[in-house]
Amino acid sequence: PKCTGQDVFNLACVTFGIRETWYFGLQFSEPGSDSGSGSWWLRPDRRLSEVVRSLPASCPLHFFFHVRFWVEDVGEDLLLEATVHLFYLEVKDLVLTRQQWAASPDLLPLLAAYAAQAELGDFDPAVGCDHLLGRLLPAQAQQPETAAACAEKLRDHYRDLAGLGRVEAQIEMLRLSQDLEMFGLVYFPIHANGPDSDPPSWLGISCFGVSFYEQASLVKPHRRLAWSDIRRMSCRDRKFTLVANEAPSASSAGSDEPPTCFGGEHRGGRAVSFWTGSPADSKQILRLCVGNHELYMTRRMPDTIERQQMRATAREERARRLLDKQRLAKEVEGRAAAERLRGAAEEKAGQLGQQLAKSEAMLGLLSERARLAEDEMKMLSEQRDRQLAHMRHIHAQLLAEKQSLAERASQFESLLLTLSEEASVTEAERDCLRQQLAYARQGEKSLLAKLESLLRSVGVWSSAGASDSSAELQGFGALAADAETEETSGLSTAELLARLQAERQLFTDGSAAFEADLRQLRSRVQAARLGAPIPAGCHSSPGIRAGRLSNGSRAAVTYFDEL
């Protein structure tokens, strides 16, 4: 029951690990409150029991941890990473989610890209950034006519931020947000000409001072008072009074003709008065002005020991982040080099794999060729063996034929010797036969001569008949010689021997028949001389004698028959 707002705020700061607690506060909303802003900041000195007592029993009370006082320069004033992260979340919520701060359409994709880099890291082409459109970009950037262009810009910015750290991305987003006209401003509706006067205008409170805006514009103020130009602030009921210095500083800006409602003389300076929506709004405005003024003066004073410690811690953190960034850059470079080496190795491995595949294919082809060559060698070997066997068989046949030819040559030689011997013998026999034939012819001639002489002696030979017989006998000798020459010219030795044997036999038979005829002729001649009759059986058939005798003998016998 005695717990105060400071106790709950300290518990939240310890939970979040925040040391720069003066920038934050707990905010809550009361149902049915008449606050112009719609929400309240929990007072540190106020008990929670008092806050709960003012709410209905069935209504729960929710506190929201928000930035209450903004800074002039996020790079200098925000020292710790936890503080930077909470400011980043607040700006992201106000600009990209709730759209309470207006931003140009060109700046929204860049802010969303920094938010994506801070939360998701480097851009991944495989994932893309289409899923970030509804998560980071406000609804005004997701209209059908601008969604494609915003998505393309977000993708380009996100790709360009590769390598940026989380804290650096958050700080860069906060620096870009500082250029917004509405950065760090908290607006309250006020009335310049009296309570509930129309039309109302706006009061903006920031870390630089207070600004007055027309109802139609919350961007460009028509009057601005810096904290250094404000001497005193006070409120009474709904009326709020600011006492400014006589000579405004260069930071105070306004229109050429400030509104007369803000004018007025006050002891020690110029007074600016206006009316709020409720006394609670006046008190809340006063507390915000006092807190911003205190921070404004604190930033221009030497740092306290606590803040010096925070700055030293911040420097250490920055040095550590820089070292981590350098180490990360080296690791990224090393990883990139390793990736390049891996890519080169994979490419080389791919080439080696291709070469290995080609080698394997070549090896398969060579093995197939070797197998074919082996089969061909085996076939050639078998063919050679068959040829060798065939050649051996032919050689054996040739040897047998050579032996047979040698034997036949020897037989032919012996036969040639025999034939030569037989030829010499046949030649000798032929000479002998020729001599015998000559002797036979001479004998025949002698017989014919004897016959002629006998016939002459018996007186039966006439000159005509003798001439005819002589011519016939000479023709007979010539015919016999021609016949011998014709018959012996084309005959072989064996046929010549057979012919000679036949002639010999014929001559022998003729000689015997001739001798028989001569004996008969003698007997007849003797019988004729004696005048006795011719004995029976002494007549011979002329045809037979003609077949046995030669032409001359046949003529003589015929002559004797005629006689």
Side-chain angles (χ1 to χ4, degrees):
K2 296 181 180 180
C3 181
T4 62
Q6 186 65 40
D7 298 331
V8 180
F9 179 73
N10 292 337
L11 180 62
C13 291
V14 171
T15 304
F16 295 149
I18 298 174
R19 296 178 62 185
E20 297 175 288
T21 59
W22 45 85
Y23 296 121
F24 305 98
L26 291 178
Q27 196 175 39
F28 65 96
S29 298
E30 291 184 359
S33 64
D34 55 353
S35 173
S37 61
S39 58
W40 303 90
W41 293 101
L42 181 62
R43 290 170 54 184
D45 56 345
R46 188 179 181 185
R47 292 186 178 182
L48 291 181
S49 57
E50 299 177 2
V51 178
V52 173
R53 190 181 303 117
S54 62
L55 297 176
S58 61
C59 181
L61 183 62
H62 298 282
F63 293 101
F64 299 94
F65 195 87
H66 283 292
V67 176
R68 187 175 183 182
F69 303 106
W70 295 86
V71 294
E72 299 178 11
D73 187 0
V74 294
E76 293 293 333
D77 298 335
L78 301 181
L79 303 179
L80 303 179
E81 290 186 7
T83 310
V84 172
H85 179 63
L86 291 176
F87 267 79
Y88 156 76
L89 293 178
E90 188 75 20
V91 171
K92 176 186 172 184
D93 180 62
L94 292 172
V95 177
L96 300 178
T97 304
R98 291 189 290 173
Q99 305 177 38
Q100 291 186 4
W101 293 353
S104 63
D106 295 334
L107 186 61
L108 288 175
L110 183 57
L111 294 175
Y114 277 109
Q117 181 70 23
E119 296 181 5
L120 303 177
D122 292 341
F123 176 73
D124 188 2
V127 178
C129 58
D130 295 338
H131 62 288
L132 302 177
L133 298 178
R135 177 180 172 185
L136 297 178
L137 290 177
Q140 64 179 4
Q142 300 182 28
Q143 300 298 326
E145 59 274 5
T146 59
C150 287
E152 186 66 25
K153 291 180 180 179
L154 173 60
R155 186 182 298 107
D156 295 339
H157 292 316
Y158 189 16
R159 188 184 295 110
D160 295 338
L161 296 178
L164 191 63
R166 181 180 63 86
V167 179
E168 287 78 5
Q170 293 176 355
I171 292 176
E172 291 299 326
M173 181 180 176
L174 292 176
R175 284 176 177 172
L176 287 175
S177 301
Q178 275 187 327
D179 297 334
L180 299 176
E181 294 291 338
M182 301 177 68
F183 179 81
L185 284 171
V186 181
Y187 294 95
F188 292 91
I190 61 173
H191 299 273
N193 298 323
D196 301 329
S197 61
D198 294 326
S201 58
W202 294 94
L203 172 69
I205 304 174
S206 68
C207 59
F208 297 100
V210 293
S211 302
F212 299 93
Y213 298 87
E214 296 292 338
Q215 184 183 11
S217 175
L218 294 177
V219 176
K220 186 176 181 180
H222 63 81
R223 184 176 179 84
R224 180 181 296 167
L225 292 176
W227 295 120
S228 59
D229 297 334
I230 299 176
R231 296 178 58 184
R232 189 174 65 250
M233 297 173 289
S234 62
C235 64
R236 185 175 182 180
D237 199 11
R238 296 175 57 186
K239 184 178 180 180
F240 197 94
T241 303
L242 295 174
V243 179
N245 296 326
E246 290 294 339
S249 63
S251 60
S252 299
S255 60
D256 296 335
E257 296 180 359
T260 57
C261 61
F262 289 155
E265 294 296 332
H266 196 275
R267 188 190 315 176
R270 295 179 297 110
V272 179
S273 300
F274 55 87
W275 285 262
T276 63
S278 64
D281 286 345
S282 299
K283 294 179 180 180
Q284 188 169 357
I285 292 172
L286 181 60
R287 285 191 289 268
L288 284 176
C289 290
V290 170
N292 279 291
H293 186 269
E294 289 179 356
L295 290 176
Y296 179 82
M297 299 304 297
T298 301
R299 284 192 290 268
R300 285 154 179 80
M301 293 175 61
D303 292 337
T304 61
I305 297 178
E306 183 181 6
R307 193 165 180 82
Q308 291 177 3
Q309 293 176 352
M310 291 183 184
R311 287 190 181 277
T313 305
R315 284 193 296 269
E316 293 176 359
E317 289 293 330
R318 290 193 185 97
R320 182 184 61 80
R321 286 200 303 269
L322 181 60
L323 185 62
D324 293 341
K325 186 177 181 180
Q326 292 176 354
R327 187 183 298 111
L328 180 62
K330 290 182 180 180
E331 291 180 358
V332 169
E333 185 178 358
R335 183 175 297 179
E339 288 292 332
R340 288 194 298 270
L341 291 176
R342 186 176 66 85
E346 289 180 354
E347 184 178 0
K348 189 173 181 180
Q351 294 177 357
L352 292 177
Q354 293 178 359
Q355 293 179 0
L356 181 61
K358 291 181 180 179
S359 300
E360 289 179 353
M362 185 63 68
L363 181 61
L365 182 60
L366 292 177
S367 61
E368 183 68 20
R369 288 182 178 177
R371 186 182 63 80
L372 293 177
E374 186 178 357
D375 295 342
E376 188 175 358
M377 281 183 66
K378 188 182 296 183
M379 183 176 64
L380 290 175
S381 178
E382 294 176 356
Q383 187 176 0
R384 185 195 62 185
D385 294 339
R386 288 195 300 269
Q387 289 180 355
L388 287 176
H390 184 61
M391 290 176 66
R392 291 192 186 98
H393 179 65
I394 291 176
H395 183 64
Q397 289 182 353
L398 289 176
L399 290 178
E401 289 182 1
K402 183 179 179 182
Q403 187 175 1
S404 176
L405 288 175
E407 293 177 357
R408 290 178 65 184
S410 61
Q411 291 178 3
F412 285 155
E413 288 178 359
S414 61
L415 181 59
L416 183 59
L417 292 175
T418 304
L419 288 177
S420 62
E421 293 175 357
E422 288 180 357
S424 61
V425 172
T426 303
E427 188 67 27
E429 289 181 354
R430 182 179 294 177
D431 294 339
C432 183
L433 288 176
R434 285 175 182 172
Q435 291 176 2
Q436 290 179 4
L437 182 60
Y439 291 155
R441 285 176 181 174
Q442 289 177 1
E444 185 178 2
K445 288 180 181 181
S446 64
L447 287 177
L448 289 176
K450 288 179 182 182
L451 178 61
E452 183 179 358
S453 63
L454 181 61
L455 290 178
R456 286 180 187 278
S457 65
V458 294
V460 294
W461 186 265
S462 63
S463 61
S467 62
D468 294 337
S469 297
S470 178
E472 186 177 358
L473 290 172
Q474 291 176 359
F476 170 76
L479 289 173
D482 294 336
E484 180 183 4
T485 304
E486 291 176 2
E487 290 175 358
T488 59
S489 62
L491 298 177
S492 63
T493 305
E495 293 177 351
L496 184 59
L497 292 174
R499 181 66 62 84
L500 291 175
Q501 293 291 337
E503 289 290 337
R504 181 183 294 177
Q505 185 68 32
L506 182 59
F507 180 75
T508 303
D509 294 340
S511 298
F514 185 69
E515 290 177 358
D517 289 339
L518 285 179
R519 285 191 299 271
Q520 291 178 5
L521 183 58
R522 285 191 189 104
S523 62
R524 287 176 68 183
V525 169
Q526 290 176 3
R529 283 180 179 177
L530 295 179
I534 300 170
C538 292
H539 297 283
S540 295
S541 174
I544 296 173
R545 288 198 297 271
R548 293 179 181 176
L549 300 177
S550 61
N551 294 332
S553 300
R554 190 181 299 114
V557 174
T558 303
Y559 178 73
F560 279 107
D561 287 338
E562 288 178 356
L563 291 178

